[in-house]
Amino acid sequence: MSNTLEERVPPRRILGLAVPALGVLAAEPLYVLVDTAVVGHLGAVPLAGLALGGVVLTQVSSQLTFLSYGTTSRTARLHGAGRRADAVREGVQATWLAIVVGLVVLVAGQLLASPIARVLSGDDEITAAAVSWLRIALFGAPLILITMAGNGWMRGVQDAARPLRYVLAGNAISAVLCPVLVYAAGLGLEGSAIANVVAQVISAGMFLVALVREKVPLAPDWALMRAQLGLGRDLVIRSLGFQACFVSAAAVAARTSTEALGAHQIVLQLWVFLSLVLDSVAIAAQSLVGAALGAGSSRQARGIAGQITRYGLIFGCVLGVVFAAVSQVLPHVFTSDTAVLGEIPHAWWFFVALQPIAGVVFALDGVLLGAGDAAFLCNATLLSAGLGFLPLIWASLGFGWGLAGIWTGLSLFMVFRLIAVVMRWRSGHWAVVGAVKTP
């Protein structure tokens, strides 16, 4: 089908959603980068402890992306069909799920923090540092999930401004508090965990207040929650594939050397940060594609998909050039340890070269998530992980390839995903019209 002006939406409409979404997506990893920079100057062991503790805590949000992405998909279709009250009800039930699951994660995390850190690290000193950080930071788990649910329903109704304000409020206060607690208060690594929880308390509280002000029924609706979990199943399995890769990468880096793990933490957090930056256009795609399909317009949904893909490619190329230019300067912001700095180039140039590929992959992820095509994305991710990332990671441990081997695995993972999502996009099978059916 040819692309006509009628199939597209004005670029300013995409930017109106993407720019605030960029702020929301960038806020948390930017805070983590600040946290990494603060802790990095405590030494290699605290930095390695933060790396492992951060990987474990990240599982909370990464495994439960349906609370944001799945909620956006369902809410956007309802919003496109003119059913705002039903759309907000999706947010209410997603928030109940967030509270229940978050409390389970908190209790389980306290019990399992030490054995998990020991398995990942293999070093008693790093394990102790990771556990001390993680036991405190886990109190933010339910709050992280509430914030995810809030972002999900607000994106679905195309309200991008409030999530930005709420997330920035929490993270800005916490970013100021972090160095104060770590250095001035003398709390060290534990101070960074306390600052992390403070950020989550502020942001989650603001999302809860906003939901109450919508004046929709707030009681749990178990039938609606079960419907959300149906879409969530595929997204959770997909997330497990991602996290099997990234946890394995952290474990192999830890067994390579403390310095390699510290370097991997720095480059990985930059990767996560830029992944979410690129995901800003994908968030706009989720909202706009879902609304177009909910309104019955597959023609417009296809046009939006083409626009988003082009924007993602351009954005990725720009980021690749920028981070190539700062390769000799930026790593020094995060650590002064010369051994860690010496390991960073083994991962850095993979990270730079992958940005254009990531721009397209994440853009099309957003298109397909907006269409509710979670089953395909799940299968594509698992296949890419099994053929690309995981074999190279564990071969790196056996053959001593270090960070270069780990990041070669990530590169194969992204190339396989690129092939899969481009083929799916071109097929058009994802563009199924209709609103989400609610009980």
Side-chain angles (χ1 to χ4, degrees):
M1 182 181 295
S2 62
N3 286 326
T4 67
L5 292 176
E6 288 73 26
E7 292 174 328
R8 302 176 184 176
V9 297
R12 65 179 176 274
R13 189 176 174 195
I14 295 176
L15 290 174
L17 293 170
V19 172
L22 171 59
V24 172
L25 292 169
E28 182 65 23
L30 185 59
Y31 170 73
V32 173
L33 289 174
V34 172
D35 198 14
T36 300
V38 171
V39 172
H41 292 285
L42 292 175
V45 171
L47 181 59
L50 176 63
L52 288 187
V55 164
V56 175
L57 186 63
T58 297
Q59 308 315 301
V60 174
S61 56
S62 298
Q63 297 304 330
L64 299 168
T65 52
F66 75 91
L67 289 170
S68 54
Y69 295 141
T71 302
T72 296
S73 173
R74 292 174 59 86
T75 302
R77 282 181 177 260
L78 291 164
H79 177 70
R83 297 164 57 184
R84 181 184 168 90
D86 286 336
V88 176
R89 283 182 65 220
E90 294 283 341
V92 172
Q93 303 313 315
T95 301
W96 277 114
L97 282 174
I99 292 169
V100 172
V101 175
L103 291 174
V104 172
V105 168
L106 172 59
V107 173
Q110 296 296 333
L111 295 174
L112 298 174
S114 182
I116 289 174
R118 189 174 298 109
V119 167
L120 292 176
S121 170
D123 179 278
D124 290 341
E125 195 174 8
I126 295 175
T127 296
V131 171
S132 68
W133 184 89
L134 188 57
R135 288 196 187 281
I136 297 170
L138 277 167
F139 284 95
L143 306 170
I144 292 170
L145 299 187
I146 290 170
T147 296
M148 290 171 61
N151 271 292
W153 74 262
M154 286 189 180
R155 291 169 184 165
V157 300
Q158 299 186 17
D159 181 352
R162 282 190 295 171
L164 177 60
R165 293 199 301 268
Y166 298 168
V167 172
L168 286 181
N171 283 280
I173 292 172
S174 189
V176 173
L177 189 61
C178 182
V180 173
L181 294 177
V182 170
Y183 295 119
L187 296 177
L189 185 59
E190 289 79 4
S192 91
I194 295 170
N196 190 290
V197 174
V198 169
Q200 304 306 335
V201 168
I202 295 169
S203 296
M206 298 178 79
F207 277 109
L208 288 173
V209 170
L211 198 57
V212 170
R213 287 178 176 171
E214 288 286 330
K215 301 187 184 303
V216 297
L218 299 177
D221 183 330
W222 301 110
L224 188 52
M225 280 190 265
R226 282 195 298 272
Q228 292 180 340
L229 288 170
L231 176 62
R233 180 193 61 243
D234 290 321
L235 293 177
V236 168
I237 294 171
R238 178 175 183 252
S239 296
L240 284 171
F242 281 125
Q243 298 315 312
C245 293
F246 288 109
V247 171
S248 295
V252 172
R255 284 162 173 77
T256 301
S257 70
T258 300
E259 293 75 20
L261 179 58
H264 179 69
Q265 163 72 358
I266 291 170
V267 182
L268 180 62
Q269 290 306 324
L270 285 168
W271 168 261
V272 171
F273 174 66
L274 291 193
S275 296
L276 296 181
V277 169
L278 291 169
D279 230 8
S280 62
V281 291
I283 295 299
Q286 288 179 46
S287 180
L288 294 171
V289 167
L293 294 175
S297 179
S298 63
R299 184 178 180 87
Q300 186 179 66
R302 290 169 185 262
I304 293 167
Q307 285 179 271
I308 293 295
T309 302
R310 290 190 293 274
Y311 296 163
L313 176 60
I314 293 168
F315 204 0
C317 289
V318 170
L319 290 175
V321 170
V322 169
F323 279 83
V326 299
S327 63
Q328 300 302 309
V329 177
L330 190 58
H332 293 270
V333 174
F334 300 104
T335 185
S336 54
D337 189 302
T338 55
V340 174
L341 288 170
E343 288 284 344
I344 285 177
H346 297 305
W348 187 272
W349 295 108
F350 289 97
F351 156 72
V352 169
L354 282 172
Q355 294 310 309
I357 294 174
V360 175
V361 169
F362 299 149
L364 287 174
D365 275 358
V367 168
L368 298 179
L369 283 170
D373 201 12
F376 172 81
L377 288 173
C378 174
N379 293 333
T381 298
L382 294 180
L383 186 62
S384 299
L387 294 177
F389 207 161
L390 289 172
L392 263 294
I393 288 173
W394 292 109
S396 296
L397 178 62
F399 294 101
W401 294 340
L403 292 184
I406 292 171
W407 282 78
T408 298
L410 176 59
S411 300
L412 284 177
F413 179 57
M414 293 299 297
V415 168
F416 291 153
R417 287 177 63 198
L418 175 68
I419 294 169
V421 294
V422 168
M423 290 177 64
R424 184 65 168 179
W425 164 47
R426 300 297 295 175
S427 76
H429 296 319
W430 52 272
V432 179
V433 299
V436 173
K437 294 180 179 179
T438 56

PDB file of all heavy atoms in Angstrom, residues 346-368:
ATOM      1  N   HIS A 346      36.551  -2.225  25.234  1.00  0.00           N
ATOM      2  CA  HIS A 346      36.182  -3.546  24.724  1.00  0.00           C
ATOM      3  C   HIS A 346      34.674  -3.663  24.481  1.00  0.00           C
ATOM      4  O   HIS A 346      34.227  -4.537  23.724  1.00  0.00           O
ATOM      5  CB  HIS A 346      36.624  -4.641  25.699  1.00  0.00           C
ATOM      6  CG  HIS A 346      38.110  -4.703  25.887  1.00  0.00           C
ATOM      7  ND1 HIS A 346      38.992  -4.835  24.843  1.00  0.00           N
ATOM      8  CD2 HIS A 346      38.868  -4.631  27.018  1.00  0.00           C
ATOM      9  CE1 HIS A 346      40.235  -4.854  25.308  1.00  0.00           C
ATOM     10  NE2 HIS A 346      40.193  -4.726  26.626  1.00  0.00           N
ATOM     11  N   ALA A 347      33.886  -2.812  25.141  1.00  0.00           N
ATOM     12  CA  ALA A 347      32.431  -2.814  24.941  1.00  0.00           C
ATOM     13  C   ALA A 347      31.942  -1.563  24.209  1.00  0.00           C
ATOM     14  O   ALA A 347      30.912  -1.604  23.543  1.00  0.00           O
ATOM     15  CB  ALA A 347      31.726  -2.920  26.300  1.00  0.00           C
ATOM     16  N   TRP A 348      32.688  -0.474  24.318  1.00  0.00           N
ATOM     17  CA  TRP A 348      32.200   0.834  23.878  1.00  0.00           C
ATOM     18  C   TRP A 348      31.835   0.873  22.399  1.00  0.00           C
ATOM     19  O   TRP A 348      30.776   1.393  22.019  1.00  0.00           O
ATOM     20  CB  TRP A 348      33.248   1.899  24.186  1.00  0.00           C
ATOM     21  CG  TRP A 348      32.752   3.296  23.927  1.00  0.00           C
ATOM     22  CD1 TRP A 348      32.809   3.998  22.767  1.00  0.00           C
ATOM     23  CD2 TRP A 348      32.098   4.141  24.871  1.00  0.00           C
ATOM     24  NE1 TRP A 348      32.249   5.231  22.922  1.00  0.00           N
ATOM     25  CE2 TRP A 348      31.803   5.348  24.206  1.00  0.00           C
ATOM     26  CE3 TRP A 348      31.741   4.001  26.219  1.00  0.00           C
ATOM     27  CZ2 TRP A 348      31.158   6.409  24.846  1.00  0.00           C
ATOM     28  CZ3 TRP A 348      31.106   5.057  26.855  1.00  0.00           C
ATOM     29  CH2 TRP A 348      30.828   6.235  26.172  1.00  0.00           C
ATOM     30  N   TRP A 349      32.682   0.319  21.529  1.00  0.00           N
ATOM     31  CA  TRP A 349      32.459   0.487  20.097  1.00  0.00           C
ATOM     32  C   TRP A 349      31.343  -0.405  19.579  1.00  0.00           C
ATOM     33  O   TRP A 349      30.684  -0.077  18.574  1.00  0.00           O
ATOM     34  CB  TRP A 349      33.769   0.305  19.333  1.00  0.00           C
ATOM     35  CG  TRP A 349      34.719   1.399  19.722  1.00  0.00           C
ATOM     36  CD1 TRP A 349      35.839   1.291  20.489  1.00  0.00           C
ATOM     37  CD2 TRP A 349      34.571   2.789  19.414  1.00  0.00           C
ATOM     38  NE1 TRP A 349      36.412   2.522  20.683  1.00  0.00           N
ATOM     39  CE2 TRP A 349      35.651   3.464  20.033  1.00  0.00           C
ATOM     40  CE3 TRP A 349      33.642   3.537  18.702  1.00  0.00           C
ATOM     41  CZ2 TRP A 349      35.818   4.847  19.944  1.00  0.00           C
ATOM     42  CZ3 TRP A 349      33.805   4.913  18.611  1.00  0.00           C
ATOM     43  CH2 TRP A 349      34.882   5.548  19.227  1.00  0.00           C
ATOM     44  N   PHE A 350      31.061  -1.512  20.272  1.00  0.00           N
ATOM     45  CA  PHE A 350      29.849  -2.276  19.965  1.00  0.00           C
ATOM     46  C   PHE A 350      28.622  -1.421  20.295  1.00  0.00           C
ATOM     47  O   PHE A 350      27.670  -1.350  19.513  1.00  0.00           O
ATOM     48  CB  PHE A 350      29.801  -3.569  20.792  1.00  0.00           C
ATOM     49  CG  PHE A 350      30.810  -4.603  20.378  1.00  0.00           C
ATOM     50  CD1 PHE A 350      32.023  -4.724  21.041  1.00  0.00           C
ATOM     51  CD2 PHE A 350      30.538  -5.465  19.326  1.00  0.00           C
ATOM     52  CE1 PHE A 350      32.947  -5.681  20.670  1.00  0.00           C
ATOM     53  CE2 PHE A 350      31.461  -6.440  18.941  1.00  0.00           C
ATOM     54  CZ  PHE A 350      32.668  -6.542  19.616  1.00  0.00           C
ATOM     55  N   PHE A 351      28.649  -0.821  21.459  1.00  0.00           N
ATOM     56  CA  PHE A 351      27.558   0.039  21.929  1.00  0.00           C
ATOM     57  C   PHE A 351      27.275   1.161  20.929  1.00  0.00           C
ATOM     58  O   PHE A 351      26.116   1.441  20.598  1.00  0.00           O
ATOM     59  CB  PHE A 351      27.966   0.582  23.306  1.00  0.00           C
ATOM     60  CG  PHE A 351      27.328   1.863  23.731  1.00  0.00           C
ATOM     61  CD1 PHE A 351      25.990   1.917  24.095  1.00  0.00           C
ATOM     62  CD2 PHE A 351      28.080   3.025  23.799  1.00  0.00           C
ATOM     63  CE1 PHE A 351      25.413   3.105  24.501  1.00  0.00           C
ATOM     64  CE2 PHE A 351      27.515   4.211  24.211  1.00  0.00           C
ATOM     65  CZ  PHE A 351      26.172   4.253  24.562  1.00  0.00           C
ATOM     66  N   VAL A 352      28.303   1.793  20.397  1.00  0.00           N
ATOM     67  CA  VAL A 352      28.135   2.885  19.434  1.00  0.00           C
ATOM     68  C   VAL A 352      27.547   2.368  18.121  1.00  0.00           C
ATOM     69  O   VAL A 352      26.587   2.928  17.580  1.00  0.00           O
ATOM     70  CB  VAL A 352      29.481   3.591  19.190  1.00  0.00           C
ATOM     71  CG1 VAL A 352      29.393   4.541  17.995  1.00  0.00           C
ATOM     72  CG2 VAL A 352      29.917   4.354  20.446  1.00  0.00           C
ATOM     73  N   ALA A 353      28.107   1.284  17.602  1.00  0.00           N
ATOM     74  CA  ALA A 353      27.695   0.775  16.298  1.00  0.00           C
ATOM     75  C   ALA A 353      26.269   0.251  16.294  1.00  0.00           C
ATOM     76  O   ALA A 353      25.610   0.233  15.235  1.00  0.00           O
ATOM     77  CB  ALA A 353      28.648  -0.335  15.853  1.00  0.00           C
ATOM     78  N   LEU A 354      25.771  -0.154  17.434  1.00  0.00           N
ATOM     79  CA  LEU A 354      24.428  -0.727  17.506  1.00  0.00           C
ATOM     80  C   LEU A 354      23.307   0.313  17.519  1.00  0.00           C
ATOM     81  O   LEU A 354      22.132  -0.050  17.367  1.00  0.00           O
ATOM     82  CB  LEU A 354      24.305  -1.601  18.763  1.00  0.00           C
ATOM     83  CG  LEU A 354      24.941  -2.985  18.691  1.00  0.00           C
ATOM     84  CD1 LEU A 354      24.920  -3.646  20.058  1.00  0.00           C
ATOM     85  CD2 LEU A 354      24.228  -3.855  17.666  1.00  0.00           C
ATOM     86  N   GLN A 355      23.626   1.588  17.693  1.00  0.00           N
ATOM     87  CA  GLN A 355      22.566   2.581  17.858  1.00  0.00           C
ATOM     88  C   GLN A 355      21.601   2.677  16.673  1.00  0.00           C
ATOM     89  O   GLN A 355      20.384   2.733  16.861  1.00  0.00           O
ATOM     90  CB  GLN A 355      23.166   3.944  18.198  1.00  0.00           C
ATOM     91  CG  GLN A 355      23.864   4.010  19.548  1.00  0.00           C
ATOM     92  CD  GLN A 355      23.011   3.459  20.673  1.00  0.00           C
ATOM     93  OE1 GLN A 355      21.857   3.836  20.833  1.00  0.00           O
ATOM     94  NE2 GLN A 355      23.582   2.550  21.447  1.00  0.00           N
ATOM     95  N   PRO A 356      22.063   2.713  15.407  1.00  0.00           N
ATOM     96  CA  PRO A 356      21.093   2.763  14.299  1.00  0.00           C
ATOM     97  C   PRO A 356      20.183   1.538  14.242  1.00  0.00           C
ATOM     98  O   PRO A 356      18.985   1.647  13.967  1.00  0.00           O
ATOM     99  CB  PRO A 356      21.985   2.856  13.054  1.00  0.00           C
ATOM    100  CG  PRO A 356      23.276   3.422  13.545  1.00  0.00           C
ATOM    101  CD  PRO A 356      23.454   2.849  14.923  1.00  0.00           C
ATOM    102  N   ILE A 357      20.764   0.356  14.501  1.00  0.00           N
ATOM    103  CA  ILE A 357      19.959  -0.869  14.522  1.00  0.00           C
ATOM    104  C   ILE A 357      18.924  -0.788  15.635  1.00  0.00           C
ATOM    105  O   ILE A 357      17.742  -1.108  15.442  1.00  0.00           O
ATOM    106  CB  ILE A 357      20.862  -2.099  14.703  1.00  0.00           C
ATOM    107  CG1 ILE A 357      21.761  -2.287  13.479  1.00  0.00           C
ATOM    108  CG2 ILE A 357      20.038  -3.356  14.968  1.00  0.00           C
ATOM    109  CD1 ILE A 357      22.792  -3.389  13.635  1.00  0.00           C
ATOM    110  N   ALA A 358      19.360  -0.332  16.799  1.00  0.00           N
ATOM    111  CA  ALA A 358      18.446  -0.205  17.931  1.00  0.00           C
ATOM    112  C   ALA A 358      17.326   0.779  17.634  1.00  0.00           C
ATOM    113  O   ALA A 358      16.171   0.557  18.035  1.00  0.00           O
ATOM    114  CB  ALA A 358      19.216   0.231  19.177  1.00  0.00           C
ATOM    115  N   GLY A 359      17.634   1.854  16.915  1.00  0.00           N
ATOM    116  CA  GLY A 359      16.611   2.832  16.589  1.00  0.00           C
ATOM    117  C   GLY A 359      15.454   2.226  15.822  1.00  0.00           C
ATOM    118  O   GLY A 359      14.279   2.500  16.103  1.00  0.00           O
ATOM    119  N   VAL A 360      15.752   1.378  14.847  1.00  0.00           N
ATOM    120  CA  VAL A 360      14.703   0.713  14.058  1.00  0.00           C
ATOM    121  C   VAL A 360      13.995  -0.353  14.881  1.00  0.00           C
ATOM    122  O   VAL A 360      12.753  -0.449  14.870  1.00  0.00           O
ATOM    123  CB  VAL A 360      15.297   0.102  12.776  1.00  0.00           C
ATOM    124  CG1 VAL A 360      14.245  -0.699  12.020  1.00  0.00           C
ATOM    125  CG2 VAL A 360      15.866   1.198  11.884  1.00  0.00           C
ATOM    126  N   VAL A 361      14.752  -1.168  15.600  1.00  0.00           N
ATOM    127  CA  VAL A 361      14.159  -2.265  16.375  1.00  0.00           C
ATOM    128  C   VAL A 361      13.193  -1.735  17.423  1.00  0.00           C
ATOM    129  O   VAL A 361      12.055  -2.216  17.550  1.00  0.00           O
ATOM    130  CB  VAL A 361      15.262  -3.118  17.033  1.00  0.00           C
ATOM    131  CG1 VAL A 361      14.645  -4.096  18.049  1.00  0.00           C
ATOM    132  CG2 VAL A 361      16.028  -3.898  15.981  1.00  0.00           C
ATOM    133  N   PHE A 362      13.609  -0.730  18.178  1.00  0.00           N
ATOM    134  CA  PHE A 362      12.749  -0.227  19.243  1.00  0.00           C
ATOM    135  C   PHE A 362      11.530   0.487  18.681  1.00  0.00           C
ATOM    136  O   PHE A 362      10.444   0.429  19.271  1.00  0.00           O
ATOM    137  CB  PHE A 362      13.534   0.696  20.172  1.00  0.00           C
ATOM    138  CG  PHE A 362      14.691   0.002  20.852  1.00  0.00           C
ATOM    139  CD1 PHE A 362      15.842   0.706  21.188  1.00  0.00           C
ATOM    140  CD2 PHE A 362      14.642  -1.339  21.149  1.00  0.00           C
ATOM    141  CE1 PHE A 362      16.907   0.075  21.795  1.00  0.00           C
ATOM    142  CE2 PHE A 362      15.713  -1.985  21.760  1.00  0.00           C
ATOM    143  CZ  PHE A 362      16.842  -1.274  22.090  1.00  0.00           C
ATOM    144  N   ALA A 363      11.686   1.181  17.548  1.00  0.00           N
ATOM    145  CA  ALA A 363      10.545   1.841  16.919  1.00  0.00           C
ATOM    146  C   ALA A 363       9.488   0.818  16.515  1.00  0.00           C
ATOM    147  O   ALA A 363       8.289   0.985  16.781  1.00  0.00           O
ATOM    148  CB  ALA A 363      11.001   2.648  15.705  1.00  0.00           C
ATOM    149  N   LEU A 364       9.916  -0.265  15.872  1.00  0.00           N
ATOM    150  CA  LEU A 364       8.963  -1.280  15.438  1.00  0.00           C
ATOM    151  C   LEU A 364       8.426  -2.101  16.606  1.00  0.00           C
ATOM    152  O   LEU A 364       7.287  -2.594  16.558  1.00  0.00           O
ATOM    153  CB  LEU A 364       9.608  -2.186  14.391  1.00  0.00           C
ATOM    154  CG  LEU A 364       9.779  -1.514  13.020  1.00  0.00           C
ATOM    155  CD1 LEU A 364      10.558  -2.409  12.065  1.00  0.00           C
ATOM    156  CD2 LEU A 364       8.414  -1.167  12.424  1.00  0.00           C
ATOM    157  N   ASP A 365       9.211  -2.258  17.663  1.00  0.00           N
ATOM    158  CA  ASP A 365       8.661  -2.843  18.893  1.00  0.00           C
ATOM    159  C   ASP A 365       7.454  -2.038  19.355  1.00  0.00           C
ATOM    160  O   ASP A 365       6.425  -2.593  19.755  1.00  0.00           O
ATOM    161  CB  ASP A 365       9.718  -2.846  20.009  1.00  0.00           C
ATOM    162  CG  ASP A 365      10.628  -4.065  19.958  1.00  0.00           C
ATOM    163  OD1 ASP A 365      10.426  -4.934  19.087  1.00  0.00           O
ATOM    164  OD2 ASP A 365      11.551  -4.140  20.785  1.00  0.00           O
ATOM    165  N   GLY A 366       7.579  -0.704  19.325  1.00  0.00           N
ATOM    166  CA  GLY A 366       6.477   0.159  19.742  1.00  0.00           C
ATOM    167  C   GLY A 366       5.259   0.008  18.864  1.00  0.00           C
ATOM    168  O   GLY A 366       4.117  -0.041  19.350  1.00  0.00           O
ATOM    169  N   VAL A 367       5.475  -0.073  17.563  1.00  0.00           N
ATOM    170  CA  VAL A 367       4.359  -0.271  16.626  1.00  0.00           C
ATOM    171  C   VAL A 367       3.623  -1.576  16.940  1.00  0.00           C
ATOM    172  O   VAL A 367       2.386  -1.617  17.046  1.00  0.00           O
ATOM    173  CB  VAL A 367       4.875  -0.281  15.176  1.00  0.00           C
ATOM    174  CG1 VAL A 367       3.790  -0.763  14.217  1.00  0.00           C
ATOM    175  CG2 VAL A 367       5.364   1.101  14.773  1.00  0.00           C
ATOM    176  N   LEU A 368       4.373  -2.650  17.086  1.00  0.00           N
ATOM    177  CA  LEU A 368       3.764  -3.965  17.295  1.00  0.00           C
ATOM    178  C   LEU A 368       3.126  -4.078  18.686  1.00  0.00           C
ATOM    179  O   LEU A 368       2.085  -4.722  18.848  1.00  0.00           O
ATOM    180  CB  LEU A 368       4.792  -5.067  17.066  1.00  0.00           C
ATOM    181  CG  LEU A 368       5.369  -5.116  15.645  1.00  0.00           C
ATOM    182  CD1 LEU A 368       6.412  -6.231  15.519  1.00  0.00           C
ATOM    183  CD2 LEU A 368       4.274  -5.302  14.601  1.00  0.00           C
TER     184      LEU A 368
END
